[in-house]
Amino acid sequence: MDKLTAMQVFSCVAEQGNYAAAAHQFNISRTMVGKHINQLEGYLGVKLINRTTRQQALSESGQLYYQECKTILAAITAAENTLQSMTGTISGSIKINAPVSFGNTLLAPIVNRFLLAYPLADVDLRLDNNLVDPMLDSVDIVVRIGELGDSALIGRHIMDYHMQFCASPQYLAQNPEIISNADLSDHHCLGFSYSSNGSLSVAHQQVFGKRQYRLSSNSGVVLTQAAIDGLGVVLQPSIVVKEAIDTGLLVNIASLTPPESMPIHLLYKDKNLPLKTRTLIDFIVAELT
C-alpha cells in the first residue's frame, strides 16, 4: 500500500464528502478511491468512513484520523518547501483552475513556456467554467474573471477582460444594419452557456436578455467559428476573436456597446506560498503585464 497516496485520497474524500471529487482530483476511478480507503481501514483496523448508497460520512475514528492526516501532509509540504527554498530548485506539481477560453487562448502557452524553463516542475491545468473554491478544492491557483467578493483568498490582478461584438462580413452585408444594442432583437445571436451565475453570466444576460439563441455553447471557440460561418452575432473576449478580426474573417461591430471590462485575478489561499507556486504566479504575471 502506498500509505501517503492513500492518506491524500482519504483526506480529499473527507473534505469533499464524496468519492467522485477525489477520483477527479487524482485522475483515478471511484473504485480505486474505494480501494485506497479500504486499504487504510484494513491497515488501521477501524472504520474511517460510513458509507450509504448516496453519501459518505466520516466515522468518529475517521474524523480523528483526518485531523492527523492534515497535520502530516502539511508537514510534508512544509519540508518540501523549505528544501526548495534552500536550494532554489523549482520542482513538484502545481494545480491551476481557469476558465476555458482564457485557459486555451492565453494561459496554456504561458504554462508551456514555464515548463520549458523549469524542467522539474509539473502543472495540472484544469479548464472549467464553474466557480471553483480553492478553500475547498485541492487547487493551488485559480483564475477568476470579474469583481472579487469578500473572501479569505488572496487575489493578484493580472489583466482586464474585454469583450467584443462580432459577425462575419457576409452576415453583416445580408442583414439589417446594426446601429445600437436594441437592434440585436432583429438578428440571430450566438449565446454562451455559462455554468454558474458569475460576473460573465450576468454581463451576458444584461446585453442579450432572455432570448432564444440560434446556437448556444459553453465553448468560445465553437461560437467564434459559428460567427465566422455567418450564423449570427457573437459576444466574445477580445483574446478569442482577435485573430479572426485581424484576418478579416470577423468584423468588430463598433456601434454595439459591450459589457464593461472586468478584472482577471489569480487567487490563492496563503501568502506563504511554496516556491514552485510563487514562481509560476510571478511567471504568469510577467507574461501578461
Side-chain angles (χ1 to χ4, degrees):
M1 177 181 66
D2 183 344
K3 193 185 302 182
L4 178 59
T5 300
M7 291 170 66
Q8 292 171 325
V9 171
F10 165 70
S11 296
C12 183
V13 173
E15 291 165 359
Q16 300 293 339
N18 61 76
Y19 283 14
H24 175 73
Q25 178 175 321
F26 290 93
N27 195 28
I28 58 178
S29 67
R30 296 188 190 187
T31 301
M32 184 57 67
V33 171
K35 184 176 180 180
H36 281 298
I37 303 299
N38 291 337
Q39 287 177 334
L40 272 181
E41 290 179 332
Y43 174 77
L44 297 168
V46 296
K47 195 77 169 174
L48 297 174
I49 297 178
N50 296 317
R51 306 168 183 81
T52 67
T53 55
R54 294 187 177 182
Q55 63 181 4
Q56 296 86 38
L58 293 181
S59 66
E60 183 176 353
S61 297
Q63 291 173 350
L64 291 173
Y65 189 64
Y66 168 58
Q67 295 302 321
E68 295 300 324
C69 283
K70 279 181 40 176
T71 301
I72 293 168
L73 295 174
I76 291 172
T77 299
E80 292 173 347
N81 294 342
T82 299
L83 289 176
Q84 287 191 16
S85 297
M86 290 174 60
T87 61
T89 302
I90 309 302
S91 64
S93 181
I94 313 161
K95 296 182 180 180
I96 314 174
N97 177 275
V100 176
S101 294
F102 178 86
N104 279 324
T105 307
L106 282 187
L107 189 57
I110 294 173
V111 166
N112 293 344
R113 290 192 287 273
F114 173 83
L115 292 173
L116 289 172
Y118 298 98
L120 297 180
D122 303 312
V123 173
D124 181 357
L125 177 58
R126 304 288 178 92
L127 302 184
D128 186 351
N129 289 323
N130 288 314
L131 294 181
V132 171
D133 186 348
M135 303 302 289
L136 300 177
D137 203 341
S138 179
V139 63
D140 300 300
I141 307 169
V142 169
V143 178
R144 183 69 53 79
I145 300 173
E147 298 294 338
L148 300 178
D150 293 335
S151 172
L153 297 171
I154 300 167
R156 187 164 177 181
H157 179 263
I158 52 173
M159 63 182 293
D160 289 326
Y161 195 75
H162 304 281
M163 304 190 78
Q164 291 178 263
F165 284 102
C166 303
S168 70
Q170 297 82 0
Y171 178 87
L172 293 174
Q174 295 170 6
N175 288 276
E177 183 180 5
I178 302 176
I179 299 175
S180 70
N181 289 32
D183 295 327
L184 288 173
S185 59
D186 299 324
H187 286 264
H188 294 306
C189 293
L190 311 173
F192 198 91
S193 301
Y194 292 94
S195 53
S196 60
N197 195 35
S199 300
L200 291 173
S201 177
V202 172
H204 201 270
Q205 287 189 1
Q206 287 175 343
V207 170
F208 285 114
K210 292 184 178 180
R211 59 177 300 160
Q212 181 67 38
Y213 295 108
R214 186 77 195 282
L215 172 68
S216 60
S217 174
N218 64 350
S219 169
V221 174
V222 168
L223 295 176
T224 299
Q225 186 58 52
I228 292 172
D229 293 340
L231 288 178
V233 178
V234 69
L235 173 65
Q236 277 296 296
S238 300
I239 57 174
V240 173
V241 297
K242 181 181 185 303
E243 182 178 351
I245 292 174
D246 290 345
T247 56
L249 295 174
L250 289 178
V251 175
N252 175 43
I253 308 175
S255 59
L256 292 177
T257 304
E260 292 185 8
S261 60
M262 290 172 279
I264 305 179
H265 291 87
L266 298 180
L267 301 182
Y268 42 96
K269 305 173 189 177
D270 195 339
K271 289 183 178 180
N272 299 317
L273 290 171
L275 181 62
K276 59 183 180 181
T277 307
R278 185 169 68 251
T279 302
L280 176 55
I281 289 173
D282 290 342
F283 192 93
I284 293 171
V285 171
E287 290 269 339
L288 294 178
T289 56

